[in-house]
Amino acid sequence: MSVPLYRLKAEFFKTLGHPVRIRVLELLSEREHGVAEMLRDIGVEPAYLSQQLAVLRRADLVVARREGTAVYYALTSPQVAELLRTARLILTGVLAGRAEPPDDHRTPAPREESP
């Protein structure tokens, strides 16, 4: 039995649902990066970055290549970069449309009742 597409999408978005993974993908959207370079740019511990890169590799979003002792990562598809650009456009539009920052504790406006 095949997995429904909506479930695959949910798993895909769960994979993207981590700030370090998003930052890695943003960096790789520009060009291939070495692990040492990503560590400097992202500012996390090596073991933590390694864990996040492993998640992205298992999801087939990134590929690694070794050159001597250095490991370099790249996106598996330019569509990943396009997805991040699209997300940025959506979020920029949503944020630009807000007159004030969101407040989850605001009381909802009363609904009008029909006579």
Side-chain angles (χ1 to χ4, degrees):
M1 183 166 121
S2 66
V3 178
L5 184 58
Y6 66 89
R7 289 196 186 273
L8 294 173
K9 286 179 183 178
E11 286 302 315
F12 175 75
F13 283 109
K14 275 192 225 177
T15 299
L16 296 178
H18 192 284
V20 171
R21 288 183 221 138
I22 292 292
R23 186 63 186 127
V24 166
L25 294 173
E26 287 175 341
L27 289 172
L28 298 179
S29 293
E30 299 166 4
R31 61 177 171 76
E32 178 183 77
H33 279 70
V35 171
E37 188 178 16
M38 284 190 279
L39 282 169
R40 184 191 70 231
D41 290 346
I42 298 173
V44 296
E45 294 295 319
Y48 191 64
L49 179 59
S50 178
Q51 287 174 345
Q52 302 313 318
L53 288 166
V55 171
L56 293 172
R57 277 194 318 271
R58 282 193 302 273
D60 291 323
L61 293 174
V62 300
V63 292
R65 74 173 178 84
R66 186 172 295 278
E67 191 174 293
T69 60
V71 179
Y72 295 88
Y73 281 86
L75 296 179
T76 56
S77 167
Q79 291 170 326
V80 175
E82 182 61 31
L83 176 64
L84 293 172
R85 281 191 293 277
T86 300
R88 182 178 297 120
L89 287 172
I90 291 168
L91 292 172
T92 301
V94 167
L95 295 175
R98 291 186 181 158
E100 57 188 60
D103 182 1
D104 292 339
H105 303 291
R106 221 180 318 185
T107 307
R111 292 193 292 171
E112 292 183 27
E113 295 183 23
S114 14

